[in-house]
Amino acid sequence: MFSTTLRLDDDLAAFLHQAAAAHALSANGWLVALLRREQATAARRKLAADWAAYGQDAEAQEVSYALAAQAEVAAEPRRRSYRARQPK
């Protein structure tokens, strides 16, 4: 586990303690929650950027090679789920 020391101005330290108390968390717990939210936001931004890049790559979007296989699968008779089958 990583441990660090923060040097905060008095007004930021007061805000940290007030915000943590308002959420019924310790200062450490509040900072961890804040960082987790930021981590999730960064992951969503990266995913959005990756999809945008994929959208601009015409070669990556070429799927005609798979159409024949998809047509074969679509033509197969539909099987009933094992859960839908009645025991004999």
Side-chain angles (χ1 to χ4, degrees):
M1 180 169 289
F2 176 75
S3 179
T4 191
T5 300
L6 293 174
R7 288 186 296 275
L8 302 173
D9 294 333
D10 291 339
D11 62 328
L12 281 177
F15 172 77
L16 171 60
H17 290 289
Q18 289 170 356
H23 290 89
L25 294 170
S26 66
N28 181 71
W30 190 77
L31 286 172
V32 167
L34 183 69
L35 288 170
R36 291 281 180 210
R37 282 193 305 269
E38 184 57 32
Q39 183 181 42
T41 299
R44 284 192 301 273
R45 277 191 211 117
K46 182 181 180 330
L47 181 61
D50 289 348
W51 274 108
Y54 173 76
Q56 294 173 358
D57 186 355
E59 186 176 317
Q61 293 183 30
E62 176 56 47
V63 294
S64 61
Y65 68 90
L67 294 178
Q70 289 175 350
E72 280 182 36
V73 171
E76 290 179 4
R78 186 172 177 170
R79 297 186 196 133
R80 288 181 22 177
S81 165
Y82 74 92
R83 290 183 181 158
R85 295 181 192 143
Q86 298 297 322
K88 294 180 183 181

